[in-house]
Amino acid sequence: MVVFGNVSAANLPYQNGFLDALSSELMGHNSFRIPISSQALKTRTRRRTSCPLQVVCVDIPRPELENTVNFLEAASLSASFRSAPRPAKPLKVVIAGAGLAGLSTAKYLADAGHQPLLLEARDVLGGKIAAWKDEDGDWYETGLHIFFGAYPNVQNLFGELGINDRLQWKEHSMIFAMPSKPGEFSRFDFPDVLPAPLNGIWAILRNNEMLTWPEKIKFAIGLLPAMVGGQAYVEAQDGLSVEEWMRKQGVPDRVTDEVFIAMSKALNFINPDELSMQCILIALNRFLQEKHGSKMAFLDGNPPERLCMPIVEHIRSLGGEVRLNSRIRKIELEDDGTVKSFLLTDGTTIQGDAYVFATPVDILKLLLPDSWKEIPYFKRLEKLVGVPVINVHIWFDRKLKNTYDHLLFSRSNLLSVYADMSLTCKEYYDPNRSMLELVFAPAEEWISRTDSDIIDATMKELEKLFPDEIAADQSKAKILKYHVVKTPRSVYKTIPDCEPCRPLQRSPIQGFYLAGDYTKQKYLASMEGAVLSGKFCSQSIVQDYELLAASGRRNLSETTVST
């Protein structure tokens, strides 16, 4: 498929920190420019200004997702908001946080006829999918975001917004670097002619470079209880790490080393000795039970404009409101312990009929009122802690050859996954130079290190992945510039025994709700989990309409009497 695009972008400058003094340490990003010649600068300028962006690429057609059970279930939930009885008096719902969870909550509340007011602390949409434009017009992102076929609520959301064409689907493969053979890759190719789970089984059986036949057989035997026991068995494995579960099931350690270190880091930015096995089993279940479950797509440009803004436009078209630079300082309470208002850092007080916190769990914990902290529902949140992650972008002076138009699993000690975004993304397309976007994880020991330290370490790893093209000393490919985005508290760390601590979206405080991938839903810490949590949160509010409306009338009456 030949695609020609003309992409424009509004500048969304970055504002340090989530909560000024309260939590400035939770987020940060930095950039560095390597001095380059005036001729190189002229070449870059000509590329950007001589004509509108034109991209020629071959995309894999969108897979048939609409008839899967999970897609239909997600579509039914979406439709329930549009078909809900129109409220006599729409609720004003104040939502903190314009990441995917907050945007989803506001979108579906607006679909149900209510009036969401979405408040974002920073001057950029997206939360953990935020991105910024530098002075050259290049975008750099919080993370490397992949949209799977097994994301039914996300796929429905794209369809509801009419932006299915903004996903660039890749061939149905998983591609792993081979550390023992620098510069080489091993593939798991899922044949389109076979249904699930046969296509996944075929992909595994056909790959003889990473696992031996005895290892495959032992792994398959180890997985049998999960296949037979279903969801109940999967949830019961939350108490074991990936490493512990594998050894308990008699799976050779080499299976963990060859496959599940990379998979663990891709799913939650931590290693198998920390990650809950429940997380792996949920992913395997989705990938093996749905024909296109593990098929991947990239967004065709920066997430704030290409995904978040269509949601905002939809919300506004239905009477909702979205405000940036609206940072919450305090949750103010009534005498009975319910929410009276959100107090912003500029002194503004925001009141509503219901309130939602759709921020990361670490931000919520910083702002919890003291009188709520001993309530078991909130106290259990103490175990949920965001995991640190670093996203690295490096622009090189040439087009790298040893790469694919796909997500790549690095299998390195320091890097998780990476992609040459000059190939995989239309807006970032460049026929002459590569831009590698890499997830640096686990990042706990590196989050406080300097950007130059991180880049030096990254280059040493890239030397192994591109032995003929990249040298750590830059004697081969030269760095033109880089950006390093540090997120000290990203998605919640999915360690064993976290599942009982994840809260339902409806809190015990009347009129106060939560949304976020850490809240209770079956897709754990993911974009799909964030979107689904927003739908569950909206569903709870719609179900509570009569109670919330009556409470609003009572509060209005009391205010009238007191004045």
Side-chain angles (χ1 to χ4, degrees), residues 159-224:
E160 292 160 24
L161 297 170
I163 58 172
N164 275 331
D165 59 345
R166 297 188 183 186
L167 287 177
Q168 292 182 254
W169 290 94
K170 307 304 176 184
E171 59 184 331
H172 198 171
S173 302
M174 288 188 173
I175 306 173
F176 292 77
M178 297 290 288
S180 60
K181 301 176 181 179
E184 296 187 21
F185 297 87
S186 180
R187 300 171 59 105
F188 291 86
D189 295 314
F190 295 72
D192 193 55
V193 295
L194 294 178
L198 295 179
N199 62 341
I201 294 172
W202 179 263
I204 294 170
L205 294 179
R206 288 277 294 175
N207 183 298
N208 294 315
E209 297 164 312
M210 291 176 64
L211 298 179
T212 65
W213 274 95
E215 287 167 345
K216 293 176 187 177
I217 292 170
K218 289 181 180 179
F219 178 50
I221 293 172
L223 276 179
L224 281 176

Side-chain angles (χ1 to χ4, degrees), residues 184-468:
E184 296 187 21
F185 297 87
S186 180
R187 300 171 59 105
F188 291 86
D189 295 314
F190 295 72
D192 193 55
V193 295
L194 294 178
L198 295 179
N199 62 341
I201 294 172
W202 179 263
I204 294 170
L205 294 179
R206 288 277 294 175
N207 183 298
N208 294 315
E209 297 164 312
M210 291 176 64
L211 298 179
T212 65
W213 274 95
E215 287 167 345
K216 293 176 187 177
I217 292 170
K218 289 181 180 179
F219 178 50
I221 293 172
L223 276 179
L224 281 176
M227 299 174 69
V228 174
Q231 188 64 25
Y233 177 87
V234 170
E235 292 178 0
Q237 306 316 299
D238 178 53
L240 296 174
S241 71
V242 176
E243 187 176 81
E244 290 169 339
W245 185 91
M246 293 288 182
R247 289 175 177 171
K248 178 184 174 184
Q249 297 301 112
V251 179
D253 285 348
R254 216 182 76 85
V255 174
T256 301
D257 295 341
E258 291 294 299
V259 177
F260 289 100
I261 289 178
M263 193 168 180
S264 297
K265 289 164 67 171
L267 288 171
N268 200 238
F269 313 128
I270 57 178
N271 281 316
D273 61 335
E274 289 190 280
L275 183 67
S276 168
M277 188 61 194
Q278 182 193 31
C279 186
I280 292 287
L281 291 175
I282 286 175
L284 288 176
N285 181 51
R286 299 287 177 263
F287 291 166
L288 291 176
Q289 296 304 318
E290 299 178 27
K291 179 178 179 178
H292 303 294
S294 57
K295 200 164 192 174
M296 305 179 208
F298 284 70
L299 192 62
D300 67 357
N302 71 88
E305 289 186 341
R306 303 301 288 167
L307 174 54
C308 299
M309 273 309 299
I311 304 175
V312 169
E313 290 164 359
H314 179 87
I315 293 166
R316 288 173 173 164
S317 74
L318 296 176
E321 187 178 353
V322 180
R323 299 181 193 172
L324 300 180
N325 299 307
S326 299
R327 191 182 305 277
I328 295 173
R329 176 185 295 168
K330 184 180 181 183
I331 301 173
E332 296 188 313
L333 303 183
E334 300 280 7
D335 291 340
D336 63 0
T338 58
V339 180
K340 178 181 180 181
S341 62
F342 285 168
L343 175 65
L344 306 188
T345 54
D346 65 2
T348 305
T349 296
I350 306 293
Q351 292 185 308
D353 300 303
Y355 300 84
V356 177
F357 242 71
T359 69
V361 66
D362 299 279
I363 302 299
L364 170 64
K365 290 190 289 186
L366 284 170
L367 288 171
L368 273 180
D370 289 340
S371 61
W372 291 3
K373 290 181 178 178
E374 295 305 312
I375 298 174
Y377 175 91
F378 294 110
K379 191 169 181 58
R380 286 192 292 268
L381 298 179
E382 292 176 2
K383 186 164 183 178
L384 302 180
V385 178
V387 63
V389 66
I390 300 170
N391 208 46
V392 177
H393 309 70
I394 303 178
W395 283 259
F396 289 97
D397 66 347
R398 65 195 66 184
K399 196 72 172 177
L400 300 172
K401 299 176 182 178
N402 192 36
T403 187
Y404 292 86
D405 179 12
H406 213 297
L407 181 76
L408 302 172
F409 293 81
S410 76
R411 299 177 71 207
S412 88
N413 291 328
L414 295 179
L415 303 177
S416 172
V417 292
Y418 69 98
D420 186 342
M421 300 298 281
S422 70
L423 289 174
T424 61
C425 176
K426 293 174 187 175
E427 186 177 8
Y428 305 159
Y429 176 78
D430 188 329
N432 302 314
R433 295 175 182 82
S434 287
M435 188 276 271
L436 296 185
E437 184 172 345
L438 312 105
V439 179
F440 196 103
E444 190 166 357
E445 296 180 6
W446 287 87
I447 202 75
S448 60
R449 300 280 288 272
T450 66
D451 292 347
S452 59
D453 283 347
I454 292 167
I455 292 297
D456 288 345
T458 300
M459 287 295 287
K460 289 177 182 176
E461 296 299 313
L462 290 178
E463 187 175 49
K464 303 170 189 174
L465 296 169
F466 299 85
D468 298 327

Side-chain angles (χ1 to χ4, degrees), residues 504-539:
L504 295 172
Q505 288 73 29
R506 181 189 285 112
S507 88
I509 306 298
Q510 183 178 312
F512 186 76
Y513 302 82
L514 299 179
D517 58 18
Y518 70 93
T519 63
K520 198 75 171 177
Q521 41 72 31
K522 61 185 178 180
Y523 289 92
L524 304 181
S526 64
M527 292 186 290
E528 172 70 9
V531 171
L532 181 55
S533 77
K535 295 173 85 167
F536 283 166
C537 181
S538 301
Q539 184 181 53

Side-chain angles (χ1 to χ4, degrees), residues 80-212:
S80 70
F81 297 106
R82 298 189 297 271
S83 63
R86 298 299 90 176
K89 183 179 183 302
L91 297 172
K92 178 183 178 182
V93 183
V94 184
I95 305 165
L100 282 179
L103 288 165
S104 170
T105 303
K107 190 264 185 195
Y108 291 105
L109 282 172
D111 284 350
H114 297 289
Q115 296 177 343
L117 170 56
L118 184 56
L119 305 174
E120 169 54 45
R122 297 185 291 171
D123 58 359
V124 59
L125 296 165
K128 291 190 279 287
I129 64 166
W132 302 268
K133 185 192 278 191
D134 69 14
E135 60 188 26
D136 298 320
D138 293 314
W139 287 86
Y140 56 104
E141 306 180 6
T142 308
L144 181 51
H145 307 293
I146 301 298
F147 298 82
F148 286 100
Y151 281 2
N153 289 282
V154 168
Q155 298 301 335
N156 268 276
L157 178 62
F158 272 82
E160 292 160 24
L161 297 170
I163 58 172
N164 275 331
D165 59 345
R166 297 188 183 186
L167 287 177
Q168 292 182 254
W169 290 94
K170 307 304 176 184
E171 59 184 331
H172 198 171
S173 302
M174 288 188 173
I175 306 173
F176 292 77
M178 297 290 288
S180 60
K181 301 176 181 179
E184 296 187 21
F185 297 87
S186 180
R187 300 171 59 105
F188 291 86
D189 295 314
F190 295 72
D192 193 55
V193 295
L194 294 178
L198 295 179
N199 62 341
I201 294 172
W202 179 263
I204 294 170
L205 294 179
R206 288 277 294 175
N207 183 298
N208 294 315
E209 297 164 312
M210 291 176 64
L211 298 179
T212 65

